[in-house]
């Protein structure tokens, strides 16, 4: 792929639902030899499975071949590369199978580095993703409270305030599924 991010996988695979194999070969630079390494991929849309030097590392989202489709919802992908799997002198291969559906894309900010650095970057991204979702969730919730209060405290009931409050509550419930997924991927599954 020449271009990372912004529907880059969609441009290759389309939107109907197909798989792409992405392969990254590298040799370990002298300054990283015999150190614990990890890979960080800020997001992949739709679902992925990853291998390193032929060993399965993990997956995020669910592919149709596993019985259902479930998006990873732009969660952060973080895999430690076990020291015993690292080829210190030769070629190493990171292989990812990506199920592309809809506007599929992969982050252009993906990298392999020392585990400590990757963990710090992962923590920062998880924090930003969580805060971003809290803002998205917090706005409709505050609006719900405000317009419900306006409706309940006025002697003459203005039903448009109630309808707007309920619309924001519905938005809150809908967006809650995204926050729950983000919370699961950044807090519970780690």
């Amino acid at each position: 792929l020449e271009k990372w991010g912004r529907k880059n996988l969609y441009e290759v695979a389309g939107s109907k639902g197909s798989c792409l194999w992405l392969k990254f070969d590298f040799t370990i630079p002298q300054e990283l030899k015999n150190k614990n390494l990890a890979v960080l991929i800020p997001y992949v849309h739709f679902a992925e499975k990853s291998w390193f030097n032929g060993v399965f590392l993990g997956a995020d989202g669910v592919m149709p071949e596993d019985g259902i489709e479930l998006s990873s919802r732009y969660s952060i992908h973080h895999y430690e590369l076990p020291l015993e799997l690292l080829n210190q002198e030769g070629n190493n291969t990171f292989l990812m199978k990506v199920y592309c559906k809809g506007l599929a894309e992969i982050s252009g900010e993906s990298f392999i580095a020392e585990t400590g650095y990757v963990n710090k970057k992962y923590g920062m991204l998880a924090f930003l993703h969580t805060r971003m979702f809290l803002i998205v969730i917090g706005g409709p919730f505050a609006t719900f409270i405000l317009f419900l209060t306006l409706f309940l405290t006025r002697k003459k009931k203005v039903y448009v305030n109630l309808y707007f409050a309920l619309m924001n509550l519905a938005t809150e419930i809908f967006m809650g599924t995204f926050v729950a997924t983000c919370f699961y991927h950044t807090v519970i599954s780690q």
Side-chain angles (χ1 to χ4, degrees):
L1 294 171
E2 293 178 14
K3 185 169 79 172
W4 291 87
R6 298 300 305 152
K7 302 184 284 187
N8 56 0
L9 300 178
Y10 165 78
E11 293 171 1
V12 175
S15 64
K16 300 292 185 206
S18 59
C19 289
L20 286 178
W21 288 90
L22 305 176
K23 181 180 176 184
F24 177 65
D25 290 319
F26 68 98
T27 55
I28 300 173
Q30 191 62 39
E31 64 271 11
L32 294 178
K33 287 190 179 186
N34 298 310
K35 294 187 178 179
N36 292 316
L37 301 179
V39 62
L40 182 76
I41 304 166
Y43 63 85
V44 174
H45 180 68
F46 190 82
E48 61 85 15
K49 293 180 179 182
S50 295
W51 292 262
F52 181 70
N53 287 342
V55 176
F56 181 70
L57 293 177
D60 205 352
V62 182
M63 298 190 186
E65 64 198 42
D66 298 323
I68 60 171
E69 294 178 8
L70 180 64
S71 174
S72 64
R73 301 215 174 144
Y74 294 96
S75 62
I76 305 162
H77 305 256
H78 169 265
Y79 297 114
E80 292 192 18
L81 307 176
L83 196 57
E84 62 273 6
L85 291 180
L86 289 167
N87 185 349
Q88 300 295 328
E89 301 303 323
N91 198 41
N92 291 281
T93 301
F94 183 81
L95 185 65
M96 180 183 281
K97 180 180 183 181
V98 181
Y99 177 64
C100 303
K101 186 171 183 181
L103 301 177
E105 58 187 318
I106 187 170
S107 172
E109 300 165 358
S110 305
F111 65 91
I112 296 172
E114 284 188 68
T115 302
Y117 178 76
V118 171
N119 289 342
K120 286 179 187 175
K121 187 77 169 174
Y122 172 82
M124 183 187 74
L125 287 171
F127 176 81
L128 291 174
H129 282 198
T130 303
R131 295 308 172 257
M132 184 171 54
F133 280 126
L134 287 177
I135 291 167
V136 168
I137 290 294
F141 185 72
T143 305
F144 164 71
I145 296 295
L146 173 67
F147 279 84
L148 184 62
T149 303
L150 286 173
F151 175 76
L152 294 174
T153 58
R154 298 222 171 152
K155 289 184 182 186
K156 183 180 177 190
K157 300 298 179 194
V158 180
Y159 283 92
V160 117
N161 289 339
L162 177 63
Y163 301 147
F164 193 66
L166 292 175
M167 181 186 71
N168 278 279
L169 178 61
T171 301
E172 190 75 18
I173 292 168
F174 173 76
M175 293 300 292
T177 60
F178 298 104
V179 172
T181 301
C182 180
F183 180 76
Y184 173 79
H185 286 294
T186 57
V187 177
I188 295 173
S189 69
Q190 300 302 320

